[in-house]
Amino acid sequence: FPTRRSSDLSEVYDSVTGITFTISASGLTWVKTKRDTAAPVAGTWSVGDTVTNSAPTVGGTIGWICTTAGTPGTWVAVGPVGLGTWDLNVKDFGATGNGATDDYTAFAAAAAAAVASQRILSIPPGVYRLGTSISFSSAMGLRFSTGATLLPDTGRTVTVNCVILAGVSKIFDGYGTTLINPITNPTTHAAWFGFVLSTVNPAWNATYLFRAVASLDSYGTLQIDPGNYDVAGGVVISKTDFSIVGYGAAIEQKSSITTILNLQNCARTSIEGLLLIGKGTDYNPGFSTPATGIGLSSSTDITIERVGFQNFGFSAINVGTSMSDVTIHECVMEGTGARLNNIAPLGNDQFGVYLSGAAQSGNIKISNCDVSHVAQGLFFAGAWSSVSIMNNQDRKSTRLNSS
């Protein structure tokens, strides 16, 4: 047939059908492209073949891409023109977003098309139930509209190896598991899992925070965005090479729990920038169980930096057993609101940092902290290999105990 060939024979043009054949990256197959005003309704096409809109309009379709091979195959619109995106829309693949229908098949097809074209998969508002585990490749992207949420069934896993483009709102829900690759997403927002400002049941907020922590593997950073958050229930953290950052964020305890953030079996883990607010007995007699902001046990190389603590009945930081190498830097530890307002004296059981009676290996460094507003600022009940205390403010009734 009449042809126009490139100098290296990598392209062939059929002037009768208007189709251009371009050699694939493997050199073994041809990718077909064409200019037309609509997707093909005849002919045999393969996945990845494209048709460019020959009569584009602003906001209209850029073109079409073949997502299922056949005669003519399945074609999905790409666009819109002039809006700066080549996103694929998951609803074009049959997703319902009604929260009841299993949208797995639609997401699997949409993800395959996004990978084939190396494009972003757009998810409009809706709740998308996934009855089968799914993995999103790093060769694509996920763009969540506000109000778009993935809902994996119990026992199902959503693995996200691609870049997530989303605002600060819930995009993951349900009783399944979500795993986020920290290489493609160095920062994961707790809000993506429903951890939101103080407008929800505090017990649920604690659950959402736990899910956010559980979603990240090693080397991940969990971002808690600025605002006030209520929780009723502590969160256990067992991570390696993990960070929580929360400048401008305050987490307030709404029930009598022992610890808000409990680090167990952690290594090279840090908490930075948060304000933790307790409900200790000296603050509100209605909450009778002594409370702790951060608890540490069976962990090594832990850093707590620029964290504020208020109103914890027992201690801001409770360093338990089997600990090695702890750094506490530039933290502010305050007792009760009553003491700060000179209404009533502090109880004598409040500590800024409390170290357990068991012998500990490794080092502890406490520097540039303000422990002047608690009854017993730094209390050491055990023996440590090395203790470094530098430039701390320990005015008023603070005293240091060590055995």
Side-chain angles (χ1 to χ4, degrees):
F1 47 78
T3 61
R4 181 187 69 216
R5 294 183 173 87
S6 62
S7 59
D8 60 358
L9 301 180
S10 62
E11 180 182 286
V12 176
Y13 174 70
D14 183 345
S15 59
V16 176
T17 63
I19 298 174
T20 298
F21 296 79
T22 305
I23 195 70
S24 68
S26 66
L28 300 177
T29 60
W30 295 90
V31 177
K32 294 188 286 187
T33 59
K34 182 182 180 180
R35 297 181 74 249
D36 207 335
T37 58
V41 294
T44 301
W45 301 84
S46 301
V47 172
D49 291 347
T50 59
V51 172
T52 301
N53 193 347
S54 60
T57 58
V58 174
T61 299
I62 293 173
W64 300 265
I65 184 171
C66 182
T67 59
T68 303
T71 307
T74 301
W75 290 82
V76 174
V78 179
V81 175
L83 301 183
T85 178
W86 278 71
D87 290 10
L88 302 179
N89 190 322
V90 71
K91 287 203 169 182
D92 290 333
F93 293 80
T96 65
N98 62 18
T101 303
D102 185 357
D103 285 324
Y104 166 77
T105 300
F107 266 88
V115 170
S117 58
Q118 295 189 347
R119 290 178 178 157
I120 294 171
L121 179 60
S122 180
I123 306 174
V127 178
Y128 300 86
R129 178 181 157 236
L130 298 172
T132 302
S133 297
I134 190 169
S135 179
F136 296 103
S137 166
S138 60
M140 58 176 288
L142 285 177
R143 189 192 307 276
F144 289 83
S145 300
T146 300
T149 306
L150 299 187
L151 186 73
D153 285 355
T154 301
R156 303 296 182 259
T157 300
V158 175
T159 303
V160 184
N161 292 311
C162 63
V163 173
I164 296 174
L165 303 171
V168 184
S169 61
K170 182 192 287 188
I171 59 176
F172 300 110
D173 201 356
Y175 293 97
T177 301
T178 300
L179 300 176
I180 297 177
N181 189 330
I183 296 176
T184 50
N185 296 281
T187 298
T188 292
H189 294 265
W192 290 351
F193 294 84
F195 188 69
V196 295
L197 302 183
S198 302
T199 57
V200 300
N201 185 312
W204 274 110
N205 231 10
T207 299
Y208 296 146
L209 181 58
F210 173 80
R211 290 178 182 173
V213 170
S215 73
L216 286 171
D217 205 343
S218 299
Y219 306 103
T221 295
L222 181 65
Q223 173 72 47
I224 300 179
D225 294 284
N228 298 319
Y229 303 84
D230 294 341
V231 296
V235 176
V236 175
I237 301 172
S238 299
K239 293 288 182 180
T240 298
D241 297 297
F242 177 76
S243 300
I244 295 180
V245 178
Y247 287 99
I251 301 178
E252 183 170 353
Q253 171 188 311
K254 289 297 184 180
S255 69
S256 301
I257 61 173
T258 302
T259 305
I260 289 184
L261 300 177
N262 194 346
L263 277 61
Q264 301 176 1
N265 301 302
C266 291
R268 299 178 297 281
T269 297
S270 65
I271 300 175
E272 182 178 347
L274 285 170
L275 171 61
L276 301 178
I277 304 172
K279 293 291 185 185
T281 55
D282 291 315
Y283 179 78
N284 186 339
F287 296 89
S288 58
T289 303
T292 296
I294 297 176
L296 307 175
S297 63
S298 303
S299 300
T300 183
D301 198 359
I302 304 299
T303 299
I304 302 172
E305 186 170 18
R306 301 187 183 95
V307 177
F309 301 86
Q310 293 178 358
N311 306 329
F312 287 98
F314 180 68
S315 65
I317 302 172
N318 183 11
V319 183
T321 59
S322 302
M323 290 298 304
S324 175
D325 298 328
V326 178
T327 298
I328 302 170
H329 181 65
E330 292 186 356
C331 293
V332 178
M333 306 168 193
E334 298 178 348
T336 67
R339 168 56 188 264
L340 299 179
N341 294 325
N342 294 317
I343 296 173
L346 279 169
N348 60 11
D349 60 344
Q350 290 184 321
F351 308 95
V353 179
Y354 180 89
L355 287 88
S356 74
Q360 308 283 353
S361 62
N363 310 311
I364 183 168
K365 300 177 183 179
I366 305 174
S367 62
N368 299 95
C369 292
D370 184 349
V371 292
S372 61
H373 297 292
V374 290
Q376 302 187 60
L378 306 175
F379 188 92
F380 289 71
W384 284 69
S385 299
S386 174
V387 177
S388 176
I389 303 173
M390 300 180 295
N391 302 322
N392 297 292
Q393 298 180 43
D394 49 358
R395 304 183 304 271
K396 299 178 182 176
S397 59
T398 295
R399 64 181 187 269
L400 174 65
N401 298 273
S402 181
S403 61

